[in-house]
Coordinates of all heavy atoms in Angstrom, one line a residue:
M1 N -37.3 76.9 68.7 CA -37.1 78.1 68.1 C -35.9 78.8 68.6 O -35.6 78.7 69.8 CB -38.4 79.1 68.4 CG -38.1 80.4 67.8 SD -39.3 81.6 68.4 CE -40.8 80.9 68.4
I2 N -35.1 79.4 67.8 CA -33.9 80.1 68.1 C -34.3 81.4 68.6 O -35.0 82.2 67.9 CB -32.9 80.2 66.9 CG1 -32.5 78.8 66.6 CG2 -31.8 81.1 67.2 CD1 -31.6 78.8 65.3
T3 N -33.8 81.9 69.8 CA -34.1 83.2 70.4 C -32.7 83.8 70.8 O -31.8 83.1 71.2 CB -35.1 83.2 71.5 OG1 -34.5 82.4 72.5 CG2 -36.3 82.5 71.1
A4 N -32.7 85.1 70.8 CA -31.6 85.9 71.4 C -31.5 85.5 72.9 O -30.4 85.4 73.4 CB -31.7 87.4 71.1
Q5 N -32.6 85.4 73.6 CA -32.6 85.1 75.0 C -31.9 83.8 75.3 O -31.2 83.6 76.2 CB -33.9 85.2 75.7 CG -34.6 86.6 75.7 CD -33.7 87.6 76.5 OE1 -32.8 87.2 77.3 NE2 -33.9 88.9 76.3
G6 N -32.2 82.8 74.4 CA -31.6 81.5 74.6 C -30.1 81.5 74.4 O -29.4 81.0 75.3
L7 N -29.7 82.3 73.5 CA -28.2 82.3 73.2 C -27.6 83.2 74.3 O -26.5 82.9 74.7 CB -28.0 83.0 71.8 CG -28.3 82.0 70.6 CD1 -28.5 82.8 69.3 CD2 -27.2 81.0 70.6
K8 N -28.2 84.2 74.8 CA -27.7 85.0 75.8 C -27.6 84.1 77.2 O -26.6 84.3 77.9 CB -28.5 86.3 76.1 CG -28.3 87.3 74.9 CD -29.3 88.4 74.9 CE -29.5 89.1 76.2 NZ -30.5 90.3 76.1
Q9 N -28.6 83.3 77.4 CA -28.5 82.4 78.5 C -27.4 81.5 78.5 O -26.8 81.1 79.5 CB -29.9 81.7 78.6 CG -30.0 80.7 79.8 CD -30.2 81.4 81.1 OE1 -30.6 82.5 81.2 NE2 -29.8 80.7 82.2
L10 N -27.0 81.1 77.3 CA -25.8 80.3 77.1 C -24.4 81.0 77.2 O -23.4 80.5 77.2 CB -25.9 79.5 75.7 CG -27.0 78.5 75.5 CD1 -27.0 78.0 74.1 CD2 -26.7 77.4 76.5
G11 N -24.6 82.3 77.3 CA -23.4 83.2 77.5 C -22.9 83.9 76.3 O -21.7 84.5 76.4
Y12 N -23.6 84.0 75.3 CA -23.3 84.7 74.1 C -23.8 86.0 74.1 O -24.9 86.3 74.6 CB -23.7 83.8 72.8 CG -23.0 82.5 72.8 CD1 -23.7 81.3 73.1 CD2 -21.6 82.4 72.6 CE1 -23.1 80.1 73.0 CE2 -21.1 81.1 72.5 CZ -21.7 79.9 72.8 OH -21.2 78.7 72.8
T13 N -23.1 86.9 73.3 CA -23.6 88.4 73.2 C -24.0 88.6 71.8 O -23.3 88.4 70.8 CB -22.4 89.3 73.6 OG1 -21.9 88.9 74.9 CG2 -22.7 90.7 73.6
P14 N -25.2 89.3 71.7 CA -25.7 89.6 70.3 C -24.7 90.6 69.6 O -24.2 91.5 70.3 CB -27.0 90.3 70.6 CG -27.5 89.8 71.9 CD -26.2 89.6 72.7
E15 N -24.6 90.4 68.3 CA -23.7 91.2 67.5 C -22.2 91.1 67.8 O -21.4 91.7 67.1 CB -24.2 92.7 67.5 CG -25.6 92.9 67.2 CD -26.1 92.3 65.9 OE1 -25.3 92.2 64.9 OE2 -27.3 91.7 65.8
V16 N -21.9 90.3 68.8 CA -20.5 90.0 69.1 C -20.2 88.6 68.8 O -19.3 88.3 68.2 CB -20.1 90.4 70.7 CG1 -18.8 89.8 71.0 CG2 -20.3 91.8 71.0
D17 N -21.2 87.8 69.3 CA -21.0 86.3 69.1 C -22.0 85.8 68.0 O -21.7 84.7 67.4 CB -21.2 85.5 70.3 CG -20.3 85.8 71.4 OD1 -19.1 85.8 71.1 OD2 -20.7 86.1 72.5
F18 N -23.0 86.5 67.7 CA -23.9 86.0 66.7 C -24.9 87.2 66.2 O -25.0 88.2 66.9 CB -24.9 84.9 67.3 CG -25.8 85.4 68.4 CD1 -27.1 85.9 68.1 CD2 -25.4 85.4 69.8 CE1 -27.9 86.3 69.2 CE2 -26.2 85.9 70.8 CZ -27.4 86.3 70.5
S19 N -25.5 86.9 65.1 CA -26.6 87.8 64.7 C -27.8 86.9 64.2 O -27.5 85.9 63.6 CB -26.2 88.8 63.7 OG -25.8 88.2 62.4
L20 N -28.9 87.3 64.6 CA -30.1 86.6 64.1 C -30.9 87.3 63.0 O -30.7 88.5 62.9 CB -31.1 86.4 65.3 CG -30.6 85.6 66.6 CD1 -31.7 85.6 67.6 CD2 -30.1 84.3 66.2
Q21 N -31.7 86.6 62.3 CA -32.6 87.2 61.3 C -33.9 86.5 61.2 O -33.9 85.3 61.6 CB -31.9 87.2 60.0 CG -32.6 87.9 58.9 CD -31.7 88.2 57.7 OE1 -30.5 88.4 57.8 NE2 -32.4 88.4 56.6
N22 N -34.9 87.2 60.8 CA -36.3 86.5 60.6 C -36.8 87.2 59.4 O -37.1 88.4 59.3 CB -37.1 86.8 61.8 CG -38.5 86.2 61.7 OD1 -39.1 86.2 60.6 ND2 -38.9 85.5 62.8
D23 N -37.0 86.5 58.4 CA -37.6 87.0 57.1 C -39.0 86.7 57.0 O -39.6 86.5 55.9 CB -36.8 86.1 55.9 CG -35.3 86.5 56.0 OD1 -35.0 87.6 56.3 OD2 -34.5 85.6 55.6
G24 N -39.7 86.6 58.1 CA -41.2 86.4 58.0 C -41.5 85.0 58.5 O -42.7 84.7 58.7
G25 N -40.6 84.1 58.7 CA -40.9 82.7 59.2 C -40.2 82.5 60.5 O -40.3 83.4 61.4
D26 N -39.4 81.5 60.6 CA -38.7 81.2 61.9 C -37.4 82.1 61.9 O -36.8 82.4 60.9 CB -38.3 79.7 61.9 CG -39.5 78.8 62.2 OD1 -40.5 79.3 62.7 OD2 -39.3 77.6 61.8
T27 N -37.0 82.4 63.1 CA -35.8 83.2 63.3 C -34.6 82.2 63.2 O -34.7 81.0 63.6 CB -35.8 83.8 64.8 OG1 -36.8 84.7 64.8 CG2 -34.5 84.4 65.0
Y28 N -33.6 82.6 62.6 CA -32.4 81.7 62.4 C -31.1 82.6 62.6 O -31.2 83.8 62.7 CB -32.4 81.2 61.0 CG -32.3 82.2 59.8 CD1 -31.1 82.6 59.3 CD2 -33.5 82.7 59.3 CE1 -31.0 83.4 58.3 CE2 -33.4 83.7 58.2 CZ -32.2 84.0 57.7 OH -32.1 85.0 56.7
I29 N -30.1 81.8 62.8 CA -28.8 82.5 63.0 C -28.2 82.9 61.6 O -27.8 82.1 60.8 CB -27.8 81.5 63.7 CG1 -28.3 81.2 65.1 CG2 -26.4 82.2 63.8 CD1 -27.5 80.2 65.9
K30 N -28.2 84.2 61.5 CA -27.7 84.8 60.2 C -26.2 84.6 60.1 O -25.7 84.2 59.1 CB -28.1 86.2 60.1 CG -27.6 86.9 58.9 CD -27.9 88.4 58.9 CE -27.4 89.1 57.6 NZ -27.7 90.6 57.7
S31 N -25.4 84.9 61.2 CA -24.0 84.7 61.2 C -23.7 84.3 62.7 O -24.1 84.8 63.6 CB -23.3 85.9 60.8 OG -23.5 87.1 61.6
W32 N -22.8 83.3 62.7 CA -22.1 82.8 63.9 C -20.7 83.4 63.9 O -19.9 83.0 63.2 CB -22.1 81.3 64.0 CG -21.7 80.9 65.4 CD1 -20.5 80.3 65.6 CD2 -22.4 81.0 66.6 NE1 -20.4 80.0 67.0 CE2 -21.6 80.5 67.6 CE3 -23.6 81.5 67.0 CZ2 -22.0 80.4 68.9 CZ3 -24.0 81.5 68.2 CH2 -23.2 81.0 69.3
I33 N -20.5 84.3 64.9 CA -19.2 85.0 64.9 C -18.2 84.4 66.0 O -17.1 84.6 65.9 CB -19.5 86.5 65.3 CG1 -20.4 87.0 64.2 CG2 -18.2 87.3 65.2 CD1 -21.1 88.3 64.6
S34 N -18.8 83.8 67.0 CA -18.1 83.3 68.2 C -17.1 82.2 67.6 O -17.3 81.6 66.6 CB -19.0 82.7 69.2 OG -18.3 82.1 70.2
S35 N -16.0 82.2 68.3 CA -15.0 81.1 68.1 C -15.5 79.7 68.6 O -14.9 78.7 68.2 CB -13.6 81.4 68.6 OG -13.6 81.5 70.0
D36 N -16.5 79.8 69.5 CA -17.1 78.5 70.0 C -17.9 77.7 68.9 O -18.3 78.4 68.0 CB -18.1 78.8 71.2 CG -17.3 79.3 72.4 OD1 -16.1 79.3 72.5 OD2 -18.1 79.8 73.3
V37 N -18.0 76.5 69.1 CA -19.0 75.8 68.2 C -20.3 76.3 68.4 O -20.8 76.5 69.5 CB -18.8 74.3 68.5 CG1 -19.8 73.5 67.6 CG2 -17.4 73.7 68.3
Q38 N -21.1 76.4 67.3 CA -22.4 77.0 67.3 C -23.3 75.9 68.1 O -23.3 74.7 67.8 CB -23.0 77.1 65.9 CG -24.4 77.7 65.9 CD -24.8 78.0 64.5 OE1 -24.0 78.5 63.7 NE2 -26.1 77.7 64.1
P39 N -24.1 76.4 69.1 CA -24.9 75.4 69.8 C -26.1 74.9 68.9 O -26.4 75.6 68.0 CB -25.5 76.2 71.0 CG -25.2 77.7 70.6 CD -24.2 77.7 69.6
T40 N -26.5 73.8 69.2 CA -27.7 73.2 68.5 C -28.9 74.0 68.8 O -29.0 74.6 69.9 CB -27.8 71.7 68.9 OG1 -28.2 71.7 70.3 CG2 -26.6 70.9 68.6
D41 N -29.9 73.8 67.9 CA -31.2 74.4 68.2 C -31.8 73.9 69.5 O -32.4 74.7 70.2 CB -32.2 74.1 67.0 CG -31.9 74.8 65.7 OD1 -30.9 75.6 65.7 OD2 -32.6 74.5 64.7
E42 N -31.6 72.6 69.8 CA -32.1 72.0 71.0 C -31.5 72.7 72.2 O -32.1 73.0 73.2 CB -31.9 70.5 71.0 CG -32.7 69.7 70.0 CD -32.2 69.8 68.6 OE1 -30.9 70.2 68.4 OE2 -32.9 69.5 67.6
A43 N -30.2 72.9 72.2 CA -29.5 73.6 73.3 C -30.0 75.0 73.5 O -30.2 75.5 74.6 CB -27.9 73.5 73.1
I44 N -30.2 75.6 72.4 CA -30.7 77.1 72.5 C -32.1 77.1 73.0 O -32.5 77.9 73.9 CB -30.7 77.7 71.1 CG1 -29.2 77.8 70.6 CG2 -31.4 79.1 71.2 CD1 -29.1 78.2 69.1
E45 N -33.0 76.1 72.6 CA -34.3 76.0 73.2 C -34.4 75.7 74.6 O -35.1 76.2 75.3 CB -35.2 75.1 72.3 CG -35.5 75.5 70.9 CD -36.0 74.4 70.0 OE1 -36.1 73.2 70.4 OE2 -36.2 74.7 68.8
A46 N -33.5 74.8 75.1 CA -33.5 74.5 76.5 C -33.0 75.6 77.3 O -33.6 75.9 78.3 CB -32.5 73.3 76.6
A47 N -32.0 76.4 76.8 CA -31.6 77.6 77.5 C -32.6 78.6 77.5 O -32.8 79.3 78.5 CB -30.3 78.1 76.9
E48 N -33.4 78.8 76.5 CA -34.6 79.7 76.5 C -35.6 79.3 77.5 O -36.1 80.1 78.2 CB -35.3 79.7 75.0 CG -36.6 80.3 75.0 CD -36.7 81.8 75.1 OE1 -35.6 82.4 75.0 OE2 -37.8 82.3 75.3
A49 N -35.9 78.0 77.7 CA -36.8 77.6 78.6 C -36.3 77.9 80.2 O -37.1 78.3 81.0 CB -37.0 76.1 78.4
V50 N -35.0 77.8 80.4 CA -34.5 78.1 81.6 C -34.6 79.6 81.9 O -35.0 80.0 83.0 CB -33.0 77.7 81.8 CG1 -32.3 78.3 83.0 CG2 -32.8 76.2 81.7
W51 N -34.3 80.4 80.9 CA -34.4 81.8 81.0 C -35.9 82.2 81.2 O -36.2 83.1 82.1 CB -34.0 82.6 79.8 CG -34.2 84.0 79.8 CD1 -33.4 85.0 80.4 CD2 -35.4 84.8 79.3 NE1 -34.0 86.3 80.3 CE2 -35.2 86.1 79.6 CE3 -36.5 84.3 78.5 CZ2 -36.1 87.0 79.2 CZ3 -37.4 85.3 78.3 CH2 -37.2 86.6 78.5
Q52 N -36.8 81.6 80.5 CA -38.2 82.0 80.6 C -38.8 81.6 82.0 O -39.6 82.3 82.6 CB -39.0 81.2 79.5 CG -40.5 81.7 79.4 CD -40.7 83.1 79.0 OE1 -40.1 83.5 78.0 NE2 -41.4 84.0 79.7
A53 N -38.3 80.4 82.5 CA -38.8 80.1 83.9 C -38.3 81.1 84.9 O -39.0 81.5 85.8 CB -38.3 78.7 84.2
A54 N -37.0 81.5 84.8 CA -36.5 82.5 85.8 C -37.3 83.8 85.5 O -37.7 84.6 86.6 CB -35.0 82.7 85.6
Y55 N -37.6 84.3 84.4 CA -38.3 85.5 84.0 C -39.7 85.5 84.6 O -40.2 86.4 85.3 CB -38.3 85.7 82.6 CG -39.0 87.0 82.2 CD1 -38.4 88.1 82.2 CD2 -40.4 86.9 81.8 CE1 -39.0 89.4 81.8 CE2 -41.0 88.1 81.4 CZ -40.3 89.3 81.5 OH -41.1 90.5 81.1
D56 N -40.3 84.3 84.4 CA -41.8 84.1 84.9 C -41.8 84.2 86.4 O -42.8 84.7 87.1 CB -42.4 82.8 84.4 CG -42.6 82.9 82.9 OD1 -42.6 84.0 82.2 OD2 -42.9 81.8 82.3
A57 N -40.8 83.6 87.1 CA -40.8 83.5 88.5 C -40.6 85.0 89.2 O -41.0 85.2 90.3 CB -39.6 82.7 89.0
Q58 N -40.1 85.9 88.3 CA -40.0 87.3 88.9 C -41.2 88.2 88.4 O -41.0 89.4 88.6 CB -38.7 87.9 88.4 CG -37.5 87.2 89.0 CD -37.5 87.4 90.5 OE1 -37.6 88.4 91.0 NE2 -37.4 86.3 91.3
A59 N -42.3 87.7 88.0 CA -43.4 88.5 87.6 C -44.0 89.3 88.7 O -44.3 90.5 88.5 CB -44.5 87.6 87.0
Y60 N -44.0 88.8 89.9 CA -44.5 89.5 91.0 C -43.6 90.8 91.3 O -44.1 91.8 91.6 CB -44.6 88.6 92.3 CG -43.2 88.5 93.0 CD1 -42.9 89.3 94.1 CD2 -42.3 87.5 92.6 CE1 -41.7 89.2 94.7 CE2 -41.1 87.4 93.2 CZ -40.8 88.2 94.2 OH -39.5 88.0 94.8
A61 N -42.3 90.5 91.2 CA -41.4 91.7 91.4 C -41.6 92.8 90.4 O -41.5 94.0 90.8 CB -39.9 91.2 91.4
R62 N -41.7 92.5 89.2 CA -42.0 93.5 88.1 C -43.3 94.2 88.4 O -43.4 95.4 88.3 CB -42.0 92.9 86.7 CG -40.6 92.5 86.3 CD -40.6 92.0 84.8 NE -41.5 90.9 84.6 CZ -41.2 89.7 84.8 NH1 -40.1 89.2 85.3 NH2 -42.1 88.7 84.5
S63 N -44.4 93.5 88.8 CA -45.6 94.1 89.1 C -45.5 95.0 90.3 O -46.1 96.1 90.4 CB -46.7 93.1 89.4 OG -46.9 92.3 88.2
R64 N -44.9 94.6 91.4 CA -44.6 95.4 92.5 C -43.9 96.7 92.2 O -44.3 97.7 92.7 CB -43.9 94.6 93.6 CG -44.6 93.6 94.4 CD -43.9 93.0 95.5 NE -44.5 92.0 96.3 CZ -44.0 91.4 97.3 NH1 -42.8 91.7 97.8 NH2 -44.7 90.5 98.0
K65 N -42.9 96.4 91.4 CA -42.1 97.7 91.1 C -42.9 98.7 90.4 O -42.8 99.9 90.7 CB -40.9 97.4 90.2 CG -40.0 98.6 90.0 CD -38.8 98.3 89.1 CE -38.0 99.5 88.9 NZ -38.5 100.8 88.8
A66 N -43.7 98.3 89.5 CA -44.5 99.2 88.8 C -45.5 99.9 89.7 O -45.7 101.2 89.6 CB -45.3 98.5 87.7
A67 N -46.0 99.2 90.7 CA -47.0 99.8 91.6 C -46.3 100.7 92.6 O -46.7 101.8 92.9 CB -47.7 98.7 92.4
Y68 N -45.0 100.3 93.0 CA -44.3 101.2 93.9 C -43.9 102.5 93.2 O -43.9 103.6 93.9 CB -43.0 100.5 94.4 CG -43.1 99.3 95.2 CD1 -42.1 98.2 95.2 CD2 -44.1 99.2 96.1 CE1 -42.2 97.1 96.0 CE2 -44.2 98.0 96.9 CZ -43.2 97.0 96.9 OH -43.3 96.0 97.7
D69 N -43.6 102.4 91.9 CA -43.2 103.6 91.1 C -44.3 104.6 91.1 O -44.1 105.8 90.9 CB -42.8 103.2 89.7 CG -41.4 102.5 89.8 OD1 -40.7 102.6 90.8 OD2 -41.0 102.0 88.7
L70 N -45.6 104.2 91.2 CA -46.7 105.1 91.2 C -46.9 105.9 92.4 O -47.6 106.8 92.5 CB -48.0 104.3 90.8 CG -48.0 103.7 89.4 CD1 -49.3 102.9 89.1 CD2 -47.9 104.8 88.3
L71 N -46.3 105.3 93.5 CA -46.5 106.1 94.8 C -45.4 107.2 94.9 O -44.3 107.1 94.4 CB -46.1 105.0 96.0 CG -47.1 103.8 96.2 CD1 -46.6 103.0 97.3 CD2 -48.6 104.3 96.4
N72 N -45.8 108.2 95.7 CA -44.9 109.3 96.0 C -44.4 109.0 97.4 O -44.8 109.6 98.4 CB -45.6 110.6 96.0 CG -44.7 111.8 96.1 OD1 -43.6 111.6 96.5 ND2 -45.2 113.0 95.9
Q73 N -43.4 108.0 97.4 CA -43.1 107.3 98.6 C -42.3 108.3 99.6 O -42.6 108.3 100.8 CB -42.2 106.1 98.4 CG -42.9 105.0 97.7 CD -42.1 103.7 97.7 OE1 -41.6 103.3 98.7 NE2 -42.0 103.1 96.5
F74 N -41.5 109.2 99.2 CA -40.8 110.1 100.1 C -41.8 111.0 100.7 O -41.7 111.3 101.9 CB -39.7 110.8 99.3 CG -38.6 109.9 98.9 CD1 -38.1 109.9 97.6 CD2 -37.9 109.2 99.9 CE1 -37.1 109.1 97.2 CE2 -36.8 108.3 99.4 CZ -36.4 108.3 98.1
E75 N -42.7 111.5 100.0 CA -43.7 112.4 100.6 C -44.6 111.6 101.6 O -44.9 112.2 102.6 CB -44.5 113.1 99.5 CG -45.5 114.1 100.1 CD -46.2 114.9 99.1 OE1 -45.8 114.9 97.9 OE2 -47.3 115.4 99.3
M76 N -45.0 110.5 101.2 CA -45.8 109.6 102.1 C -45.0 109.4 103.4 O -45.5 109.5 104.5 CB -46.2 108.3 101.4 CG -47.2 108.5 100.3 SD -47.5 106.9 99.4 CE -48.8 106.2 100.5
Q77 N -43.7 109.0 103.3 CA -42.9 108.8 104.5 C -42.8 110.0 105.4 O -42.9 109.9 106.6 CB -41.5 108.2 104.1 CG -41.5 106.9 103.5 CD -40.2 106.4 102.9 OE1 -39.3 107.3 102.8 NE2 -40.1 105.1 102.6
F78 N -42.5 111.1 104.7 CA -42.4 112.4 105.4 C -43.7 112.8 106.2 O -43.7 113.1 107.3 CB -42.1 113.6 104.5 CG -41.9 114.8 105.1 CD1 -40.8 115.2 105.8 CD2 -43.0 115.7 105.1 CE1 -40.7 116.5 106.4 CE2 -42.9 117.0 105.7 CZ -41.8 117.3 106.4
D79 N -44.8 112.6 105.4 CA -46.2 112.9 106.0 C -46.4 112.0 107.2 O -46.9 112.5 108.2 CB -47.3 112.8 105.0 CG -47.2 113.9 104.0 OD1 -46.5 114.9 104.2 OD2 -48.0 113.8 103.0
D80 N -46.1 110.8 107.1 CA -46.3 109.8 108.2 C -45.5 110.1 109.4 O -45.9 110.0 110.6 CB -46.1 108.3 107.7 CG -47.1 107.7 106.9 OD1 -48.1 108.3 106.7 OD2 -46.8 106.6 106.3
A81 N -44.2 110.6 109.2 CA -43.3 110.9 110.3 C -43.9 112.1 110.9 O -43.8 112.3 112.2 CB -41.9 111.0 109.8
A82 N -44.4 113.0 110.1 CA -44.8 114.3 110.7 C -46.1 114.2 111.5 O -46.3 114.9 112.5 CB -45.0 115.3 109.5
N83 N -47.0 113.4 111.0 CA -48.3 113.3 111.7 C -48.7 111.9 112.4 O -49.8 111.7 112.8 CB -49.5 113.7 110.7 CG -49.6 112.8 109.5 OD1 -49.1 111.7 109.5 ND2 -50.1 113.4 108.4
G84 N -47.7 111.1 112.4 CA -47.9 109.8 113.0 C -48.8 108.8 112.5 O -49.3 107.9 113.1
T85 N -49.0 108.9 111.1 CA -49.9 108.0 110.4 C -49.1 106.8 109.8 O -47.8 106.8 109.9 CB -50.7 108.7 109.2 OG1 -49.7 109.3 108.3 CG2 -51.5 109.8 109.8
T86 N -49.8 105.9 109.2 CA -49.0 104.7 108.6 C -49.5 104.6 107.1 O -49.5 103.5 106.6 CB -49.5 103.5 109.4 OG1 -50.8 103.3 109.3 CG2 -48.9 103.5 110.8
T87 N -49.7 105.7 106.5 CA -50.2 105.7 105.1 C -49.2 105.0 104.1 O -49.6 104.1 103.3 CB -50.4 107.1 104.5 OG1 -51.3 107.8 105.5 CG2 -51.1 107.1 103.2
W88 N -47.9 105.3 104.3 CA -47.0 104.6 103.4 C -46.9 103.2 103.6 O -46.9 102.3 102.8 CB -45.6 105.3 103.7 CG -44.5 104.7 102.9 CD1 -44.3 104.7 101.5 CD2 -43.4 103.9 103.4 NE1 -43.3 104.0 101.1 CE2 -42.6 103.5 102.3 CE3 -43.1 103.4 104.7 CZ2 -41.5 102.7 102.4 CZ3 -42.0 102.6 104.8 CH2 -41.2 102.2 103.7
I89 N -46.8 102.8 104.9 CA -46.7 101.3 105.3 C -47.9 100.6 104.8 O -47.9 99.5 104.2 CB -46.5 101.1 106.8 CG1 -45.1 101.6 107.2 CG2 -46.6 99.7 107.2 CD1 -44.8 101.7 108.7
D90 N -49.1 101.2 105.0 CA -50.4 100.6 104.5 C -50.3 100.4 103.0 O -50.8 99.4 102.4 CB -51.5 101.5 105.0 CG -51.7 101.5 106.4 OD1 -51.2 100.6 107.1 OD2 -52.4 102.4 106.8
A91 N -49.8 101.4 102.2 CA -49.8 101.3 100.8 C -48.8 100.2 100.4 O -49.2 99.4 99.4 CB -49.4 102.6 100.2
I92 N -47.7 100.1 100.9 CA -46.7 99.1 100.6 C -47.2 97.7 101.0 O -47.2 96.8 100.2 CB -45.3 99.3 101.4 CG1 -44.7 100.6 101.0 CG2 -44.4 98.1 101.2 CD1 -44.3 100.7 99.5
N93 N -47.9 97.5 102.1 CA -48.5 96.3 102.4 C -49.6 95.9 101.6 O -49.7 94.7 101.2 CB -48.9 96.2 103.9 CG -47.7 96.2 104.9 OD1 -46.7 95.7 104.5 ND2 -48.0 96.7 106.1
A94 N -50.3 96.8 101.1 CA -51.4 96.6 100.1 C -50.8 96.1 98.8 O -51.4 95.1 98.2 CB -52.3 97.8 99.8
I95 N -49.7 96.7 98.3 CA -49.1 96.2 97.1 C -48.5 94.8 97.3 O -48.7 93.9 96.4 CB -48.0 97.2 96.7 CG1 -48.6 98.5 96.3 CG2 -47.1 96.6 95.6 CD1 -47.6 99.6 96.0
K96 N -47.9 94.5 98.4 CA -47.4 93.2 98.6 C -48.5 92.1 98.7 O -48.3 91.0 98.2 CB -46.5 93.2 100.0 CG -45.2 93.9 99.8 CD -44.4 93.8 101.1 CE -43.1 94.4 100.9 NZ -42.3 94.4 102.2
Q97 N -49.6 92.5 99.3 CA -50.7 91.6 99.2 C -51.3 91.3 97.9 O -51.7 90.3 97.5 CB -51.8 92.1 100.2 CG -52.9 91.1 100.5 CD -54.0 91.6 101.5 OE1 -53.9 92.8 101.9 NE2 -54.8 90.7 101.9
E98 N -51.4 92.4 97.1 CA -51.9 92.3 95.7 C -51.0 91.5 94.8 O -51.4 90.7 94.0 CB -52.1 93.7 95.2 CG -52.7 93.6 93.7 CD -52.9 95.0 93.1 OE1 -52.7 96.0 93.8 OE2 -53.4 95.1 91.9
F99 N -49.6 91.5 95.1 CA -48.7 90.8 94.2 C -47.8 90.0 95.2 O -46.6 90.3 95.3 CB -47.8 91.8 93.4 CG -48.7 92.8 92.5 CD1 -48.8 94.0 92.8 CD2 -49.3 92.3 91.4 CE1 -49.5 94.9 92.1 CE2 -50.0 93.1 90.6 CZ -50.1 94.4 90.9
P100 N -48.3 88.8 95.7 CA -47.6 88.1 96.6 C -46.3 87.3 95.8 O -46.4 87.1 94.6 CB -48.5 87.1 97.2 CG -49.5 86.9 96.1 CD -49.6 88.3 95.4
K101 N -45.4 86.9 96.6 CA -44.2 86.2 96.0 C -44.7 84.8 95.7 O -45.6 84.2 96.1 CB -43.1 86.1 97.1 CG -42.3 87.3 97.3 CD -41.2 87.0 98.3 CE -40.4 88.4 98.4 NZ -39.2 88.2 99.3

């Protein structure tokens, strides 16, 4: 299947080098603008697989970031410094344990 991510992985820029279209079936290259030879469907699919593997490998990082964003970290750090607790460190370690690398 042709995907924008596959083409981007190959170094092409949407709307600069190509445009895609989907009329309810498979996505296809509507126009190839780049001066390079248009890559084959197989090359695009292989590049998509490389991109997907790298994306999947970072799932833990995206999950951690979402959990970190829910914490009021600066206030937790300030409170810990003021009263000698480890609330912030404990919260960070819990998130790391929940979403390991």
Side-chain angles (χ1 to χ4, degrees):
M1 174 191 324
I2 294 174
T3 65
Q5 290 301 340
L7 287 162
K8 286 166 50 177
Q9 180 71 25
L10 290 172
Y12 299 107
T13 304
E15 306 308 323
V16 172
D17 295 314
F18 66 91
S19 65
L20 301 181
Q21 187 162 333
N22 184 314
D23 298 325
D26 289 338
T27 300
Y28 61 93
I29 297 175
K30 178 181 177 184
S31 61
W32 186 253
I33 307 161
S34 174
S35 60
D36 293 349
V37 174
Q38 181 176 320
T40 64
D41 290 359
E42 293 78 16
I44 297 168
E45 290 169 359
E48 163 73 16
V50 169
W51 175 84
Q52 188 66 54
Y55 180 82
D56 291 347
Q58 291 299 308
Y60 81 93
R62 290 187 301 279
S63 297
R64 281 185 182 183
K65 182 181 180 331
Y68 292 152
D69 288 349
L70 295 175
L71 297 177
N72 188 347
Q73 293 192 48
F74 291 123
E75 185 173 338
M76 292 173 85
Q77 290 172 347
F78 178 81
D79 290 347
D80 284 351
N83 61 25
T85 59
T86 60
T87 307
W88 176 70
I89 292 171
D90 295 342
I92 296 298
N93 286 334
I95 291 169
K96 288 181 176 183
Q97 186 174 11
E98 183 178 355
F99 303 109
K101 286 185 179 182

